[in-house]
Amino acid sequence: MTDEIASDRADFYLCLARAFLTPREEAAWDAMRELLPADLEELDQVLGYGIIDQLAAYRTEVSRVGSAEVLLRTYSSLFLAPPVPAHINTAVYLDGTIGGGSVAEMEQAYRACGVERAEDFRDLSDHLGVQLEFVAYLYAREAAGKATGQETRLPLKGGHFLHGFVDRWLPGFISDLEQAAGERELQANPYLPLARILERAVARDAVPHPDAKPRSRAERAMDKARAKHAEKGVNEEDLRKIEAILKEKGLSTDHLSVPVGQRDATQGWQAKVPPSPRRKMEG
């Protein structure tokens, strides 16, 4: 893989990572509507994921959203308002609960590659956006090393993380998004075609780590059992576990008692927005 391909993959996964963050500001709506589909289309021409149909579906869905307010309501209905129909903290699909063993495994992978939790980070480490941003980071590190000829070898590459985690929770995530449109009577669901775009990319890029052992039949059965358990949603016991984890990490738990719709104003959270791609910034 050349440094250009690795860099383009970093751009691609970074765009998707930011697209799945909470769209709290008007700029996020503008980026989702105008910049994101053009960026992904341009990158796909180089990377060859074959996402033309999925991009067309995304453009249709995002055009039906209509405003930044509707986009935020859609995101909240899908990922924030309990009982959530789809889990943005995706280790639920692997462990059947919030804050399970897969979260610790992800954190171990982050630390092994020199990535640490920021003091102001207020979510768990298995947030979809965090995982994809980490994949983008791994590809960016690989691209920089190839470009300079001084590649620093990390314990894993972007494709290894995709195979070890993302490829395993993605089917359940997509299935939940498919069901959510009817259950929540959404005006539009742009996040479903985005998830399918991610699915096409992961199918191309995910590769097993050379030191990874094949998953046993028992482990595969456990994955199915955990996914079935995850369909029950987040209950009071899960919330207590979330509270315990946040307290252990020295983070505030005050927001757990605040209704979801009021949390932004109460906590004063700020959002990131999907970036323009690297090539446009250079133009």
Side-chain angles (χ1 to χ4, degrees), residues 126-192:
D126 62 332
H127 189 288
L128 189 158
V130 173
Q131 293 180 62
L132 296 188
E133 189 168 346
F134 179 61
V135 171
Y137 165 78
L138 293 177
Y139 279 124
R141 284 287 302 271
E142 186 173 359
K146 290 179 179 296
T148 62
Q150 298 178 347
E151 185 173 358
T152 300
R153 293 197 175 275
L154 298 176
L156 73 165
K157 297 184 177 181
H160 300 152
F161 190 89
L162 291 173
H163 183 271
F165 296 102
V166 180
D167 191 39
R168 293 169 53 207
W169 56 251
L170 190 54
F173 182 68
I174 291 175
S175 177
D176 281 352
L177 285 175
E178 290 172 343
Q179 296 181 38
E183 294 176 355
R184 292 296 173 102
E185 298 181 353
L186 302 174
Q187 180 172 320
N189 186 357
Y191 295 99
L192 176 56

Coordinates of all heavy atoms in Angstrom, one line a residue, residues 126-192:
D126 N -15.7 3.1 23.4 CA -16.2 2.3 22.3 C -17.2 3.1 21.4 O -17.9 2.5 20.6 CB -16.9 1.1 22.8 CG -18.1 1.4 23.6 OD1 -18.1 2.4 24.3 OD2 -19.0 0.5 23.7
H127 N -17.3 4.4 21.6 CA -18.1 5.3 20.7 C -17.7 5.0 19.3 O -16.5 5.0 19.0 CB -18.0 6.7 21.1 CG -18.9 7.7 20.4 ND1 -18.9 8.0 19.1 CD2 -20.0 8.3 20.9 CE1 -19.8 8.8 18.8 NE2 -20.6 9.0 19.8
L128 N -18.6 4.9 18.4 CA -18.3 4.6 17.0 C -17.3 5.6 16.4 O -16.4 5.3 15.7 CB -19.6 4.6 16.2 CG -19.6 4.1 14.7 CD1 -21.0 3.7 14.3 CD2 -19.1 5.2 13.8
G129 N -17.6 6.9 16.7 CA -16.7 8.0 16.2 C -15.2 7.8 16.7 O -14.3 8.1 15.9
V130 N -15.1 7.4 17.9 CA -13.8 7.2 18.5 C -13.0 6.1 17.8 O -11.9 6.2 17.4 CB -13.9 7.0 20.0 CG1 -12.5 6.6 20.6 CG2 -14.4 8.1 20.8
Q131 N -13.7 5.0 17.6 CA -13.1 3.9 16.9 C -12.6 4.2 15.5 O -11.5 3.9 15.1 CB -14.1 2.7 16.9 CG -14.4 2.1 18.2 CD -15.4 1.0 18.1 OE1 -15.1 -0.1 17.5 NE2 -16.6 1.1 18.7
L132 N -13.5 4.9 14.8 CA -13.1 5.2 13.4 C -12.0 6.3 13.3 O -11.2 6.3 12.4 CB -14.4 5.7 12.6 CG -15.5 4.6 12.4 CD1 -16.5 5.1 11.5 CD2 -14.9 3.3 11.9
E133 N -12.1 7.2 14.3 CA -11.0 8.2 14.3 C -9.6 7.5 14.7 O -8.6 7.9 14.1 CB -11.3 9.3 15.4 CG -10.3 10.4 15.3 CD -10.8 11.6 16.1 OE1 -12.0 11.7 16.5 OE2 -9.9 12.6 16.3
F134 N -9.7 6.5 15.5 CA -8.5 5.7 15.8 C -8.0 5.0 14.5 O -6.8 5.0 14.2 CB -8.8 4.7 16.9 CG -7.6 3.9 17.3 CD1 -6.4 4.4 17.8 CD2 -7.6 2.5 17.1 CE1 -5.3 3.6 18.1 CE2 -6.6 1.7 17.5 CZ -5.4 2.2 17.9
V135 N -8.9 4.4 13.8 CA -8.5 3.8 12.5 C -7.9 4.8 11.6 O -6.8 4.5 10.9 CB -9.7 3.1 11.8 CG1 -9.4 2.7 10.4 CG2 -10.2 2.0 12.7
A136 N -8.5 6.0 11.5 CA -7.9 7.1 10.7 C -6.5 7.4 11.1 O -5.6 7.6 10.3 CB -8.8 8.3 10.7
Y137 N -6.3 7.5 12.4 CA -5.0 7.8 13.0 C -4.0 6.7 12.6 O -2.8 7.1 12.2 CB -5.1 7.8 14.5 CG -3.8 7.8 15.3 CD1 -3.0 8.9 15.4 CD2 -3.3 6.6 15.9 CE1 -1.8 8.9 16.0 CE2 -2.1 6.6 16.6 CZ -1.4 7.7 16.6 OH -0.2 7.7 17.3
L138 N -4.3 5.5 12.7 CA -3.4 4.4 12.3 C -3.0 4.5 10.8 O -1.8 4.3 10.5 CB -4.1 3.0 12.6 CG -4.3 2.7 14.0 CD1 -5.0 1.3 14.2 CD2 -3.0 2.7 14.8
Y139 N -4.0 4.8 10.0 CA -3.7 4.9 8.5 C -2.8 6.2 8.3 O -1.9 6.1 7.4 CB -4.9 5.0 7.7 CG -5.6 3.6 7.4 CD1 -6.9 3.3 7.7 CD2 -4.8 2.6 6.7 CE1 -7.4 2.1 7.5 CE2 -5.4 1.4 6.5 CZ -6.7 1.1 6.8 OH -7.2 -0.1 6.6
A140 N -3.1 7.2 9.0 CA -2.3 8.4 8.9 C -0.8 8.2 9.3 O 0.1 8.7 8.7 CB -2.9 9.6 9.7
R141 N -0.6 7.5 10.4 CA 0.7 7.1 10.9 C 1.4 6.3 9.8 O 2.6 6.5 9.5 CB 0.6 6.4 12.2 CG 0.3 7.2 13.4 CD 1.6 8.1 13.8 NE 2.7 7.2 14.1 CZ 3.0 6.7 15.3 NH1 2.2 6.9 16.3 NH2 4.1 6.0 15.4
E142 N 0.7 5.4 9.2 CA 1.3 4.5 8.2 C 1.7 5.3 7.0 O 2.7 5.1 6.4 CB 0.3 3.4 7.8 CG 0.9 2.4 6.8 CD -0.1 1.2 6.6 OE1 -1.2 1.2 7.2 OE2 0.3 0.3 5.8
A143 N 0.8 6.3 6.6 CA 1.1 7.1 5.4 C 2.3 8.0 5.7 O 3.2 8.1 4.8 CB -0.1 8.0 5.1
A144 N 2.4 8.6 6.9 CA 3.6 9.4 7.2 C 4.9 8.6 7.1 O 5.9 9.1 6.6 CB 3.4 10.1 8.5
G145 N 4.8 7.4 7.6 CA 6.0 6.6 7.7 C 6.5 6.2 6.3 O 7.7 6.2 5.9
K146 N 5.5 5.9 5.4 CA 5.8 5.5 4.0 C 6.4 6.7 3.3 O 7.3 6.5 2.4 CB 4.6 4.9 3.3 CG 4.2 3.5 3.9 CD 3.0 3.0 3.2 CE 2.6 1.6 3.7 NZ 3.6 0.6 3.4
A147 N 5.8 7.8 3.5 CA 6.2 9.0 2.8 C 7.7 9.4 3.1 O 8.4 9.9 2.3 CB 5.3 10.2 3.1
T148 N 8.0 9.3 4.4 CA 9.4 9.7 4.8 C 10.4 8.6 4.8 O 11.6 8.8 4.9 CB 9.3 10.3 6.2 OG1 8.8 9.2 7.1 CG2 8.3 11.4 6.3
G149 N 9.9 7.3 4.6 CA 10.8 6.2 4.7 C 11.3 5.9 6.1 O 12.2 5.1 6.3
Q150 N 10.6 6.5 7.1 CA 11.0 6.2 8.5 C 9.7 5.7 9.3 O 9.4 6.3 10.3 CB 11.5 7.5 9.1 CG 12.7 8.1 8.4 CD 13.2 9.4 9.0 OE1 12.5 10.0 9.8 NE2 14.4 9.8 8.7
E151 N 9.2 4.7 8.8 CA 7.9 4.2 9.4 C 8.2 3.6 10.8 O 9.1 2.8 11.0 CB 7.3 3.1 8.5 CG 6.0 2.6 8.9 CD 5.4 1.6 7.9 OE1 6.0 1.4 6.8 OE2 4.3 1.1 8.2
T152 N 7.4 4.1 11.7 CA 7.4 3.6 13.1 C 6.4 2.4 13.2 O 5.2 2.7 13.0 CB 7.1 4.7 14.1 OG1 8.1 5.7 14.0 CG2 7.1 4.1 15.5
R153 N 6.8 1.3 13.5 CA 5.9 0.1 13.5 C 5.1 0.1 14.8 O 5.6 0.1 15.9 CB 6.7 -1.2 13.4 CG 7.4 -1.4 12.1 CD 7.8 -2.8 11.8 NE 8.3 -3.0 10.5 CZ 7.6 -3.2 9.4 NH1 6.3 -3.3 9.5 NH2 8.1 -3.4 8.2
L154 N 3.8 0.1 14.6 CA 2.8 0.1 15.7 C 2.4 -1.4 15.9 O 2.5 -2.2 15.0 CB 1.6 1.0 15.5 CG 2.0 2.5 15.3 CD1 0.7 3.2 15.0 CD2 2.6 3.0 16.6
P155 N 1.8 -1.7 17.1 CA 1.4 -3.1 17.3 C 0.3 -3.6 16.4 O 0.1 -4.8 16.2 CB 0.9 -3.1 18.7 CG 1.6 -1.9 19.4 CD 1.7 -0.9 18.3
L156 N -0.5 -2.6 15.8 CA -1.5 -3.0 14.8 C -1.7 -1.9 13.8 O -1.3 -0.8 14.1 CB -2.8 -3.4 15.6 CG -3.7 -2.2 16.1 CD1 -5.0 -2.7 16.5 CD2 -3.0 -1.7 17.4
K157 N -2.4 -2.3 12.7 CA -2.7 -1.3 11.7 C -4.2 -1.1 11.6 O -5.0 -1.8 12.3 CB -2.2 -1.8 10.3 CG -0.6 -2.0 10.3 CD -0.2 -2.4 8.9 CE 1.3 -2.5 8.8 NZ 1.8 -2.9 7.5
G158 N -4.6 -0.1 10.8 CA -6.0 0.2 10.7 C -6.8 -1.0 10.3 O -7.9 -1.2 10.9
G159 N -6.4 -1.8 9.4 CA -7.1 -3.0 9.0 C -7.3 -4.0 10.1 O -8.3 -4.7 10.1
H160 N -6.3 -4.1 11.0 CA -6.4 -5.1 12.1 C -7.5 -4.6 13.1 O -8.2 -5.5 13.5 CB -5.0 -5.1 12.8 CG -3.9 -5.5 12.0 ND1 -2.6 -5.2 12.2 CD2 -3.8 -6.3 10.9 CE1 -1.8 -5.7 11.3 NE2 -2.5 -6.4 10.5
F161 N -7.6 -3.3 13.4 CA -8.6 -2.9 14.3 C -10.0 -3.1 13.7 O -10.9 -3.4 14.3 CB -8.4 -1.4 14.6 CG -9.2 -0.9 15.8 CD1 -8.8 -1.1 17.1 CD2 -10.5 -0.4 15.5 CE1 -9.7 -0.6 18.1 CE2 -11.3 0.1 16.5 CZ -10.9 -0.1 17.8
L162 N -10.1 -2.8 12.4 CA -11.4 -3.0 11.7 C -11.8 -4.4 11.8 O -13.0 -4.7 12.1 CB -11.2 -2.6 10.2 CG -11.1 -1.1 9.9 CD1 -10.8 -0.9 8.4 CD2 -12.3 -0.3 10.3
H163 N -10.9 -5.4 11.6 CA -11.2 -6.8 11.7 C -11.5 -7.2 13.1 O -12.5 -8.0 13.3 CB -10.0 -7.6 11.1 CG -10.3 -9.1 11.1 ND1 -10.0 -9.9 12.1 CD2 -10.8 -9.9 10.1 CE1 -10.3 -11.1 11.8 NE2 -10.8 -11.2 10.6
G164 N -10.8 -6.7 14.0 CA -10.9 -7.2 15.4 C -12.1 -6.7 16.1 O -12.7 -7.3 17.0
F165 N -12.6 -5.5 15.7 CA -13.8 -4.9 16.4 C -14.9 -4.5 15.4 O -16.0 -4.9 15.5 CB -13.3 -3.7 17.2 CG -12.3 -4.0 18.3 CD1 -11.0 -3.9 18.2 CD2 -12.8 -4.6 19.5 CE1 -10.1 -4.2 19.2 CE2 -11.9 -4.9 20.5 CZ -10.6 -4.7 20.3
V166 N -14.6 -3.5 14.5 CA -15.6 -2.9 13.7 C -16.4 -3.9 12.9 O -17.6 -3.9 12.8 CB -15.1 -1.8 12.8 CG1 -16.1 -1.2 12.0 CG2 -14.3 -0.8 13.7
D167 N -15.7 -4.8 12.3 CA -16.3 -5.8 11.4 C -17.3 -6.8 12.2 O -18.2 -7.3 11.7 CB -15.3 -6.7 10.7 CG -15.8 -7.6 9.7 OD1 -16.7 -7.1 8.9 OD2 -15.4 -8.7 9.5
R168 N -17.0 -6.9 13.5 CA -17.9 -7.7 14.4 C -19.1 -7.1 14.8 O -20.2 -7.7 15.0 CB -17.0 -8.2 15.5 CG -15.9 -9.2 15.2 CD -14.9 -9.4 16.3 NE -15.7 -9.9 17.5 CZ -15.2 -9.7 18.7 NH1 -14.1 -9.0 19.0 NH2 -15.9 -10.2 19.8
W169 N -19.1 -5.8 15.2 CA -20.3 -5.1 15.6 C -21.1 -4.5 14.5 O -22.3 -4.2 14.7 CB -20.0 -4.1 16.7 CG -19.1 -3.0 16.4 CD1 -17.8 -2.8 16.9 CD2 -19.3 -1.8 15.6 NE1 -17.2 -1.7 16.4 CE2 -18.1 -1.0 15.6 CE3 -20.3 -1.4 14.8 CZ2 -18.0 0.1 14.9 CZ3 -20.2 -0.2 14.1 CH2 -19.0 0.5 14.1
L170 N -20.6 -4.3 13.4 CA -21.2 -3.6 12.3 C -22.5 -4.2 11.8 O -23.5 -3.5 11.6 CB -20.3 -3.4 11.1 CG -20.7 -2.4 10.0 CD1 -21.1 -1.1 10.6 CD2 -19.6 -2.3 9.0
P171 N -22.6 -5.6 11.7 CA -23.9 -6.2 11.2 C -25.1 -5.9 12.2 O -26.2 -5.5 11.7 CB -23.6 -7.7 11.2 CG -22.1 -7.7 10.9 CD -21.6 -6.6 11.7
G172 N -24.8 -6.0 13.5 CA -25.9 -5.6 14.4 C -26.3 -4.2 14.4 O -27.5 -3.8 14.5
F173 N -25.3 -3.3 14.2 CA -25.6 -1.9 14.2 C -26.4 -1.5 13.0 O -27.4 -0.8 13.1 CB -24.2 -1.1 14.1 CG -24.3 0.4 14.1 CD1 -24.8 1.1 15.2 CD2 -24.0 1.1 12.9 CE1 -24.9 2.4 15.2 CE2 -24.0 2.4 12.9 CZ -24.5 3.1 14.0
I174 N -26.1 -2.1 11.8 CA -26.9 -1.9 10.6 C -28.3 -2.4 10.7 O -29.3 -1.8 10.4 CB -26.2 -2.5 9.4 CG1 -24.9 -1.7 9.1 CG2 -27.1 -2.5 8.2 CD1 -24.1 -2.3 7.9
S175 N -28.4 -3.6 11.3 CA -29.7 -4.2 11.5 C -30.6 -3.3 12.4 O -31.8 -3.1 12.1 CB -29.6 -5.6 12.2 OG -30.8 -6.2 12.4
D176 N -30.0 -2.8 13.4 CA -30.8 -1.9 14.3 C -31.2 -0.6 13.6 O -32.4 -0.1 13.8 CB -30.0 -1.5 15.6 CG -30.0 -2.7 16.6 OD1 -30.7 -3.6 16.4 OD2 -29.2 -2.6 17.6
L177 N -30.4 -0.1 12.8 CA -30.7 1.1 12.0 C -31.8 0.9 11.0 O -32.7 1.7 10.8 CB -29.5 1.7 11.3 CG -28.4 2.4 12.2 CD1 -27.2 2.8 11.4 CD2 -29.1 3.7 12.8
E178 N -31.8 -0.3 10.4 CA -32.8 -0.7 9.5 C -34.2 -0.7 10.2 O -35.2 -0.3 9.6 CB -32.5 -2.0 8.9 CG -31.4 -2.0 7.9 CD -30.9 -3.4 7.4 OE1 -31.3 -4.4 8.1 OE2 -30.2 -3.5 6.4
Q179 N -34.3 -1.3 11.4 CA -35.5 -1.4 12.1 C -36.0 0.0 12.7 O -37.1 0.2 12.9 CB -35.4 -2.4 13.2 CG -35.1 -3.8 12.7 CD -35.0 -4.8 13.9 OE1 -35.7 -4.7 14.9 NE2 -34.1 -5.7 13.8
A180 N -35.0 0.8 13.0 CA -35.3 2.1 13.7 C -36.2 3.0 12.9 O -37.0 3.7 13.5 CB -34.0 2.8 14.0
A181 N -36.1 3.0 11.6 CA -36.9 3.9 10.7 C -38.4 3.8 11.0 O -39.1 4.7 11.1 CB -36.5 3.8 9.3
G182 N -38.8 2.5 11.0 CA -40.2 2.2 11.2 C -40.6 2.4 12.7 O -41.7 3.0 12.9
E183 N -39.8 2.1 13.6 CA -40.1 2.1 15.0 C -40.2 3.6 15.5 O -41.1 3.9 16.3 CB -39.1 1.4 15.8 CG -39.1 -0.1 15.6 CD -38.0 -0.8 16.3 OE1 -37.1 -0.1 17.0 OE2 -37.9 -2.1 16.3
R184 N -39.3 4.4 15.0 CA -39.3 5.8 15.5 C -40.0 6.8 14.6 O -40.0 8.0 14.9 CB -37.8 6.2 15.7 CG -37.2 5.5 16.9 CD -37.8 5.8 18.2 NE -37.3 5.0 19.3 CZ -36.4 5.5 20.2 NH1 -36.0 6.7 20.1 NH2 -36.0 4.7 21.2
E185 N -40.5 6.4 13.5 CA -41.2 7.2 12.5 C -40.4 8.4 12.1 O -40.8 9.6 12.3 CB -42.6 7.7 13.1 CG -43.5 6.5 13.3 CD -44.9 7.0 13.9 OE1 -45.0 8.2 14.2 OE2 -45.8 6.1 14.0
L186 N -39.2 8.2 11.7 CA -38.2 9.2 11.4 C -38.6 9.9 10.0 O -39.1 9.2 9.1 CB -36.8 8.6 11.3 CG -36.3 7.9 12.5 CD1 -34.9 7.3 12.2 CD2 -36.2 8.9 13.7
Q187 N -38.3 11.2 10.0 CA -38.5 11.9 8.7 C -37.5 11.4 7.7 O -37.8 11.4 6.5 CB -38.4 13.4 9.0 CG -38.5 14.3 7.7 CD -38.5 15.7 8.1 OE1 -39.1 16.2 9.1 NE2 -37.9 16.6 7.3
A188 N -36.4 11.1 8.1 CA -35.3 10.5 7.3 C -34.3 9.8 8.2 O -34.3 10.0 9.4 CB -34.6 11.7 6.5
N189 N -33.5 9.0 7.5 CA -32.5 8.2 8.3 C -31.1 8.2 7.5 O -30.8 7.2 6.9 CB -32.9 6.8 8.6 CG -32.0 6.1 9.5 OD1 -30.9 6.6 9.9 ND2 -32.3 4.8 9.8
P190 N -30.4 9.3 7.5 CA -29.2 9.4 6.7 C -28.1 8.5 7.3 O -27.1 8.2 6.6 CB -28.8 10.8 6.8 CG -29.4 11.3 8.0 CD -30.7 10.6 8.2
Y191 N -28.2 8.1 8.6 CA -27.2 7.3 9.2 C -27.2 5.8 8.7 O -26.1 5.2 8.8 CB -27.3 7.4 10.7 CG -27.1 8.8 11.2 CD1 -28.1 9.6 11.5 CD2 -25.8 9.3 11.3 CE1 -27.9 10.9 11.9 CE2 -25.6 10.6 11.7 CZ -26.6 11.4 12.0 OH -26.4 12.7 12.4
L192 N -28.3 5.3 8.2 CA -28.3 4.0 7.7 C -27.4 3.9 6.4 O -26.5 3.0 6.3 CB -29.7 3.5 7.4 CG -29.8 2.1 6.7 CD1 -29.2 1.1 7.5 CD2 -31.3 1.8 6.5

